[in-house]
Amino acid sequence: MPKVNFLHDDGTSTTVDGDVGDSVMYIATSRDVKGIEAECGGFCNCATCHVYVDEAWFDRLVPMAEHENELLDGTVAERRPTSRLSCQITLTSELDGITMTTPDRQT
Amino acid sequence: MREDDRKLTDPTFFATGDPHAIFARMRRDDPIHWTEGALSRGFWSVTKLADVRTVMMNDTRVFSSGRFGAALPANADLEDPQTSYFLHLARSGAQLSMMDGEPHKHLRKVFADRFSVGGIGSLEALVRRCTQSIFETVLDRGECDFTVHMAGRLPLVVIGEMMNLPVADAEQLYRFNNMMAAPEDPEWSLGNAVTTSTAGTRGLMEYLTTLARERRGNPGDDLISQLSLAEIDGVRLDDEKLGFNGLMFFAAGHETTRAALSAGVLELLRAPGQIAALREQRFNAKVLATAGEEMVRWASPLTHTLRTATEDFDLGGTAIKEGDWVVPWFASANRDETGFVDAGAFNAARAPNNHIGFAAGKHFCLGAHLARLEMRVMLEYVLEYMDDIELAGPVEMAASNLFWGIKHLPIRFRRRVGTGDTGSRIAA
């Protein structure tokens, strides 16, 4: 199973195994990874599963759709060039080891 | 356009007219349209999906829900907080949906776990039990008013259980709620809109405030007890906040789901191919959930919300000024041709479906996961136990430009013998 690494703003980190085909948001919330809230349940509607993807991994992701881009303009924590909504990142075997940082706040 | 403007601010137009034709014209000709209708002031009608999303994602930062409330007044008589009790409450920031910033965030957090995917997931057995009981009452009759007896009944019973409301009081509360939500509707009106709205709102407020104060001394694990113990900045909620938030849970808990389910089932009985395909997959939760999302897109049970700009803002090239009213029309955005393939067609298998029927951002519908669960289970039972569903009379829409939805959907059907896979077979 591919691994996903979450770095948190308090300096701690969490590594979890995820199933190929699941969204990173689902993997995080189903394993109680802190820092991901996902109030809307993965429908790209709330921008509370915001993450900063490690630069080395960012370009390997499927580019974001326009509505994700619109939502990222409304995140509570600052938007950065590597910001994504984790509900829109689908885990593949090529993403084994992907690293991302959770922002200091989602709401 | 002026005639269209007037219609959008006239709740009675929604009972018989076709708002979607107006929205289609606005999306084509003037998608962020300065609207001067029957109210004492104009507002920006935002009709395209991307612009509606932009407004919702700039809540608090640029747009306030608290300054003038989160819905257009139903008519000019209801614009004065001195005479409209509902408006007085709305503008005093007494309810979660009409709060901004940190206080909103803190109060929402109180209920976040209960309404999360996991929290609502634990209610599936309850929702199935309630659905089963509704079907036991209706199935042998072979006909019913789907909206009143089924689609409206399920969420009402479930929210009643979550709030631990005495069953004997449910009908009266239902009536109060309709008076408040659709005061122009002849079915609920006491004569004029202000009197009706105020009587309904006061009835609900007094009932729920009293209940919350009682439970504060002896709390259970129900929603009203949780509300009674909630604090903002270390201070417990006053009577208006207790009553108005209780009212929100009660109203939001059933009106919207009722509308989505009714609109969806109406479309399904008009589309034999779609209902047959769904029936084949009736125990596939994912397939039913997809259909539920389309029902919400199609119905847009909450047609709009209201925001007030707290600063000048460029919305898609339109200059919004500080203090302007901005009305994102979810009902229009969900039919936006640039947001959905074949937007004007109901497609129970639609994917992707990035609709905005539950709003977006900070005020994303707190009860969305509950609505999704109720729609999925109700749909499963309909497909399992009802066949040859057909209209048995005229469909009636509510006279409301906010909670615009079907209020009567008379149907006839043939009872199917279920397989028992819904949990427990309903005895024939």
Side-chain angles (χ1 to χ4, degrees), chain A residues 3-7 13-16 57 96-101:
Chain A
K3 289 191 187 311
V4 184
N5 304 305
F6 296 92
L7 310 178
S13 66
T14 316
T15 297
V16 294
W57 292 93
D96 184 14
I98 187 172
T99 299
M100 57 194 74
T101 303

Side-chain angles (χ1 to χ4, degrees), chain B residues 132-426:
Chain B
Q132 170 106 5
S133 139
I134 289 167
F135 273 73
E136 284 168 352
T137 313
V138 165
L139 272 185
D140 282 338
R141 287 197 242 149
E143 60 178 31
C144 69
D145 182 336
F146 180 77
T147 305
V148 175
H149 301 131
M150 304 186 74
R153 190 79 199 150
L154 175 63
L156 192 65
V157 174
V158 171
I159 198 70
E161 290 268 345
M162 290 176 76
M163 296 169 82
N164 192 18
L165 298 177
V167 175
D169 300 336
E171 292 304 322
Q172 181 58 45
L173 296 176
Y174 183 71
R175 177 163 179 76
F176 282 151
N177 189 74
N178 283 315
M179 288 160 63
M180 176 187 74
E184 301 259 4
D185 196 306
E187 189 167 346
W188 314 111
S189 178
L190 300 179
N192 76 65
V194 174
T195 309
T196 307
S197 162
T198 299
T201 309
R202 277 199 192 281
L204 278 175
M205 287 288 294
E206 283 166 14
Y207 182 91
L208 293 165
T209 304
T210 305
L211 201 60
R213 292 184 72 84
E214 281 169 13
R215 294 201 182 158
R216 192 174 265 170
N218 183 23
D221 61 1
D222 62 279
L223 203 41
I224 294 288
S225 294
Q226 192 175 16
L227 184 65
S228 76
L229 299 176
E231 296 180 349
I232 299 176
D233 293 333
V235 180
R236 286 201 171 155
L237 306 186
D238 61 23
D239 282 357
E240 287 194 345
K241 286 192 172 69
L242 286 177
F244 210 32
N245 282 290
L247 180 155
M248 173 191 73
F249 285 122
F250 183 74
H254 70 275
E255 281 175 352
T256 47
T257 310
R258 170 179 77 190
L261 268 169
S262 299
V265 164
L266 176 60
E267 292 310 311
L268 285 177
L269 66 86
R270 288 168 170 166
Q274 291 197 47
I275 201 166
L278 274 181
R279 201 183 308 278
E280 288 289 308
Q281 299 284 321
R282 63 191 179 280
F283 298 119
N284 183 331
K286 205 166 176 181
V287 168
L288 299 190
T290 298
E293 293 304 310
E294 178 69 345
M295 290 179 175
V296 176
R297 181 189 79 91
W298 189 252
S300 298
L302 191 73
T303 61
H304 75 270
T305 187
L306 170 68
R307 294 293 186 265
T308 305
T310 55
E311 59 185 63
D312 293 354
F313 185 69
D314 180 336
L315 178 62
T318 298
I320 309 289
K321 294 286 178 204
E322 188 274 333
D324 283 358
W325 277 6
V326 176
V327 173
W329 289 99
F330 302 128
S332 176
N334 277 337
R335 302 280 178 104
D336 184 353
E337 300 77 3
T338 59
F340 303 93
V341 177
D342 207 2
F346 178 88
N347 175 3
R350 182 180 294 277
N353 187 354
N354 294 300
H355 71 80
I356 196 155
F358 290 122
K362 295 181 178 63
H363 286 277
F364 177 80
C365 175
L366 184 65
H369 305 306
L370 176 60
R372 284 167 172 154
L373 172 62
E374 290 170 343
M375 288 189 296
R376 171 166 64 77
V377 173
M378 175 61 81
L379 195 51
E380 180 185 313
Y381 272 72
V382 166
L383 295 166
E384 173 72 346
Y385 291 111
M386 292 177 152
D387 217 341
D388 302 330
I389 308 171
E390 58 180 24
L391 272 183
V395 179
E396 289 183 51
M397 303 294 289
S400 169
N401 64 350
L402 181 64
F403 295 108
W404 179 45
I406 295 171
K407 66 170 184 169
H408 294 297
L409 180 60
I411 57 165
R412 257 189 305 271
F413 57 88
R414 188 171 58 78
R415 181 175 175 160
R416 278 182 96 243
V417 178
T419 59
D421 291 348
T422 46
S424 56
R425 187 193 293 258
I426 297 177

Side-chain angles (χ1 to χ4, degrees), chain A residues 3-26:
Chain A
K3 289 191 187 311
V4 184
N5 304 305
F6 296 92
L7 310 178
H8 306 296
D9 72 300
D10 61 4
T12 62
S13 66
T14 316
T15 297
V16 294
D17 293 324
D19 288 317
V20 168
D22 282 346
S23 75
V24 168
M25 178 284 289
Y26 177 78

Side-chain angles (χ1 to χ4, degrees), chain A residues 39-40 43 45 67 71 107, chain B residues 53 109 354 360-361 369 372:
Chain A
E39 285 181 353
C40 82
F43 286 82
N45 259 328
H67 69 273
L71 258 74
T107 60
Chain B
R53 204 173 262 134
K109 277 256 185 286
N354 294 300
H369 305 306
R372 284 167 172 154

Side-chain angles (χ1 to χ4, degrees), chain B residues 84-143:
Chain B
S84 167
Y85 181 51
F86 187 89
L87 205 61
H88 156 76
L89 291 168
R91 292 186 183 173
S92 63
Q95 188 188 97
L96 192 56
S97 71
M98 301 164 199
M99 293 167 70
D100 299 313
E102 291 296 304
H104 169 261
K105 182 177 142 184
H106 287 143
L107 190 57
R108 187 172 170 120
K109 277 256 185 286
V110 171
F111 305 104
D113 280 349
R114 184 186 288 267
F115 285 97
S116 67
V117 174
I120 292 300
S122 69
L123 297 179
E124 177 145 355
L126 168 69
V127 172
R128 285 188 174 277
R129 198 165 66 242
C130 295
T131 309
Q132 170 106 5
S133 139
I134 289 167
F135 273 73
E136 284 168 352
T137 313
V138 165
L139 272 185
D140 282 338
R141 287 197 242 149
E143 60 178 31

